[in-house]
Amino acid sequence: MGQGQFMPSSFFAYAQDFDGDGRRDIWTNHKDIFASIAYYLKRHKWQPEYTWGRQVTLPKGFEEISKTLPSANPDSGCRAERSHLQSLSLEEWNNLGLRRLNGDELPRVDISARLVRPAGESGPAYLVYDNYIRILRYNCSNFYALVVGRLSDQFRGAP
Ligand SMILES: [Ca+2]
């Protein structure tokens, strides 16, 4: 329903009357629309101090390394989540040889990350954080969540 494509249950739980006119108009009122989406993400524990993730490079021979890494819990999360490898700390990913696109080491931040490769072994690789999972709660598709994340980076000035 509406521009945020809410399920009816989400409308009742999260839609906001941000402009105070007495109606939760998620179809034509931009203030209500964006406030409703923001409230949805906030209620799903969006962490504003963190980003969603980043594109990374993989070391040579990673395909062999990846076979030794555990998969995500097959009984937990939505379909897209079950396609991920299990979370590792950024330090562990760094030690396995993953790097930022500019070749720098990964940030020294104590958070866990999952590796997402939506186009398979020949496509780009992303390390994603808990906020990415919040986007998947909105729409359980790796392509959807990656587009939202990358678009949000571009709104903040990323190339
Ligand atoms: Ca309103």
Side-chain angles (χ1 to χ4, degrees):
M1 297 165 52
Q3 293 193 30
Q5 299 191 330
F6 273 13
M7 297 295 289
S9 58
S10 292
F11 176 84
F12 289 115
Y14 308 112
Q16 298 293 299
D17 174 20
F18 195 73
D19 68 350
D21 70 351
R23 297 183 59 234
R24 296 185 286 176
D25 179 1
I26 62 171
W27 291 267
T28 63
N29 184 308
H30 289 153
K31 290 180 180 176
D32 289 3
I33 291 164
F34 287 111
S36 298
I37 295 168
Y39 186 64
Y40 182 101
L41 291 171
K42 181 179 179 181
R43 288 286 304 275
H44 285 81
K45 301 180 180 172
W46 183 265
Q47 299 172 299
E49 66 275 28
Y50 294 116
T51 183
W52 61 274
R54 70 179 70 243
Q55 190 173 352
V56 294
T57 62
L58 303 174
K60 285 185 176 166
F62 185 77
E63 303 318 325
E64 288 304 313
I65 296 170
S66 69
K67 291 174 185 168
T68 69
L69 300 173
S71 296
N73 183 341
D75 301 321
S76 174
C78 70
R79 176 184 39 76
E81 284 181 74
R82 295 192 299 269
S83 72
H84 302 162
L85 294 174
Q86 196 174 64
S87 292
L88 297 176
S89 70
L90 280 185
E91 182 179 3
E92 290 172 306
W93 287 119
N94 195 65
N95 291 341
L96 288 171
L98 278 70
R99 294 291 180 268
R100 301 182 201 220
L101 285 186
N102 66 5
D104 287 351
E105 293 195 350
L106 299 173
R108 296 196 178 277
V109 180
D110 184 21
I111 58 174
S112 62
R114 300 177 185 203
L115 182 65
V116 176
R117 304 173 75 184
E121 294 180 1
S122 61
Y126 300 87
L127 279 181
V128 300
Y129 311 136
D130 286 348
N131 277 342
Y132 182 89
I133 305 304
R134 315 292 181 242
I135 301 171
L136 289 180
R137 295 281 182 274
Y138 199 97
N139 185 338
C140 184
S141 159
N142 283 313
F143 290 111
Y144 174 89
L146 287 168
V147 167
V148 169
R150 293 188 58 141
L151 188 60
S152 72
D153 288 347
Q154 290 181 12
F155 282 139
R156 290 183 294 172

